[in-house]
Amino acid sequence: MENASKPLLRALSGEALWPPPFWLMRQAGRYLPEYRLLRAQAGDFISLCTTPELAAEVTLQPVRRYGMDGAILFSDILMLPWAMGQGLRYAEGEGPLLDPLRDAVGLAALQPEAVRANVAPILETVARVRTGLAQEAPKTALIGFAGSPFTVACYMVDGKGGKEFPETRRLAYADPVLFGKLIRLLVDATVEYLLAQAEAGAEALMLFDSWAGLLPPAQFRRWSIEPANAIVRAIRKVRPDIPLIGFPRLAGPMLVEYAQRAGVGTVAMDTAMDPRWAAASVPPQITLQGNLDPQAVVAGGPALEAEARSILAAMRGRPFVFNLGHGIVPPTPPEHVAALARIIRIG
């Protein structure tokens, strides 16, 4: 069985391995010189995400350098609203800009029926990466992903990136019926998108709820946990054995309730989470993933080693995947990632 030869899939299925498998959020990206060359070749970010030969190459680059146990598809969570017809562009220095969705007219303009056709190049990337891994890194598993509905809605409603997303949060309170319709539409589209990635070759799937921590507990349950659970249940009907990872960033103590109710087999911890608390509080059958501060990787040296070893010590003996608590940042020296890989492999 293929799972038996891939440490990441074993850990995501609840096996405690030592040393633990690892991969890093945003491991493919701007800190790598080989990525910057391809990015310049693509012209713009959406073209890079939707040109299979380039996106597949970008996905494989860090695995070649560092031997990660997981390769995560190079794409973006906003490819889903883009695939439904919402205007999207990436402005230099500003991040994503979308045509804001604030009312029933904007919701009705979305075309969920167009998703499958529009994400076809991304699915081809998945297939190419799976073939490339079989040839180059047969023990590395391919992770597909999507944004969780609340986080994707943040960008769709506010129309841009940010740290507060006031328009989205206001809409969730002021018109929960309309906001609920958007979330349900995103649940259905996300299920279709993730199942298509699995069909194309993804061996595990991850939901990124990057802005879940903005929500107070009742709203967190309604707009983060419940949609995640709906997605998980729908995927399990079709693919009962595929590992599922949830990342409710900045959930704080709500991480435990998310782990108990979302239905995922693995919960990712953000940088602010105390791994010792999580290890003691999250049910032992749930795999934990995380949660090194990306800035520790930028710093390198003794600080990096101390932080990594502290996390390893907290997680020893339970199912665990070593990762960051957020994505690699562009100033990260590639040699510091290599040093981190050595520390993890020693255990």
Side-chain angles (χ1 to χ4, degrees):
M1 205 174 146
E2 197 172 14
N3 273 29
S5 68
K6 297 195 174 187
L8 178 63
L9 299 182
R10 291 167 60 193
L12 295 178
S13 298
E15 190 175 343
L17 302 178
W18 204 261
F22 85 104
W23 65 278
L24 306 174
M25 289 187 279
R26 294 195 189 137
Q27 64 189 24
R30 289 176 290 173
Y31 75 106
L32 290 176
E34 57 266 42
Y35 167 84
R36 294 194 292 271
L37 286 172
L38 282 183
R39 174 71 176 82
Q41 187 180 330
D44 66 83
F45 185 72
I46 293 175
S47 295
L48 181 56
C49 290
T50 55
T51 304
E53 56 270 29
L54 296 182
E57 175 63 17
V58 168
T59 304
L60 291 167
Q61 285 174 344
V63 177
R64 290 195 192 109
R65 264 191 185 252
Y66 307 113
M68 281 94 170
D69 298 290
I72 186 160
L73 168 68
F74 181 81
S75 186
D76 191 88
I77 64 170
L78 299 183
M79 289 295 98
L80 189 59
W82 170 83
M84 290 191 290
Q86 187 173 16
L88 169 67
R89 64 188 177 90
Y90 289 83
E92 197 64 42
E94 291 185 75
L97 298 172
L98 300 92
D99 300 334
L101 190 162
R102 304 277 170 85
D103 52 30
V105 174
L107 184 63
L110 296 175
Q111 303 166 47
E113 68 281 0
V115 167
R116 188 65 184 245
N118 287 335
V119 301
I122 299 170
L123 302 178
E124 184 183 333
T125 299
V126 173
R128 283 173 177 255
V129 173
R130 184 66 186 275
T131 298
L133 288 173
Q135 294 167 350
E136 298 185 44
K139 290 194 173 184
T140 297
L142 174 56
I143 306 162
F145 75 92
S148 278
F150 174 72
T151 286
V152 176
C154 281
Y155 294 92
M156 296 177 74
V157 174
D158 271 72
K160 58 185 178 181
K163 297 189 185 302
E164 296 291 334
F165 296 98
E167 294 297 331
T168 305
R169 292 154 65 202
R170 181 199 59 77
L171 183 63
Y173 283 113
D175 195 343
V177 173
L178 177 65
F179 194 68
K181 288 178 180 176
L182 173 59
I183 293 294
R184 282 193 295 277
L185 183 150
L186 285 169
V187 165
D188 292 343
T190 302
V191 169
E192 181 181 13
Y193 183 36
L194 287 174
L195 283 173
Q197 290 182 44
E199 186 182 319
E203 299 166 275
L205 301 170
M206 184 163 174
L207 279 171
F208 284 87
D209 212 349
S210 305
W211 300 109
L214 293 174
L215 296 169
Q219 296 275 297
F220 184 95
R221 293 181 184 105
R222 184 174 187 180
W223 304 126
S224 180
I225 292 177
E226 290 178 16
N229 181 258
I231 290 168
V232 169
R233 283 188 284 110
I235 289 172
R236 291 262 184 256
K237 286 179 183 175
V238 182
R239 297 293 297 264
D241 298 326
I242 195 162
L244 296 164
I245 308 165
F247 182 36
R249 182 169 166 264
L250 298 178
M254 292 298 290
L255 186 80
V256 176
E257 193 169 334
Y258 184 97
Q260 292 168 332
R261 294 185 49 212
V264 295
T266 298
V267 174
M269 304 174 289
D270 59 69
T271 298
M273 180 63 58
D274 181 348
R276 294 168 299 178
W277 178 86
S281 304
V282 170
Q285 71 273 18
I286 300 287
T287 302
L288 286 170
Q289 176 179 285
N291 71 328
L292 183 68
D293 187 345
Q295 294 299 335
V297 191
V298 177
L304 170 61
E305 183 159 1
E307 291 294 315
R309 291 202 181 285
S310 175
I311 294 166
L312 288 165
M315 291 291 135
R316 186 152 197 163
R318 69 165 295 143
F320 175 58
V321 174
F322 196 103
N323 207 311
L324 304 181
H326 204 200
I328 291 181
V329 292
T332 304
E335 60 270 22
H336 290 186
V337 178
L340 174 62
R342 288 193 295 271
I343 293 165
I344 298 165
R345 292 302 189 207
I346 294 167

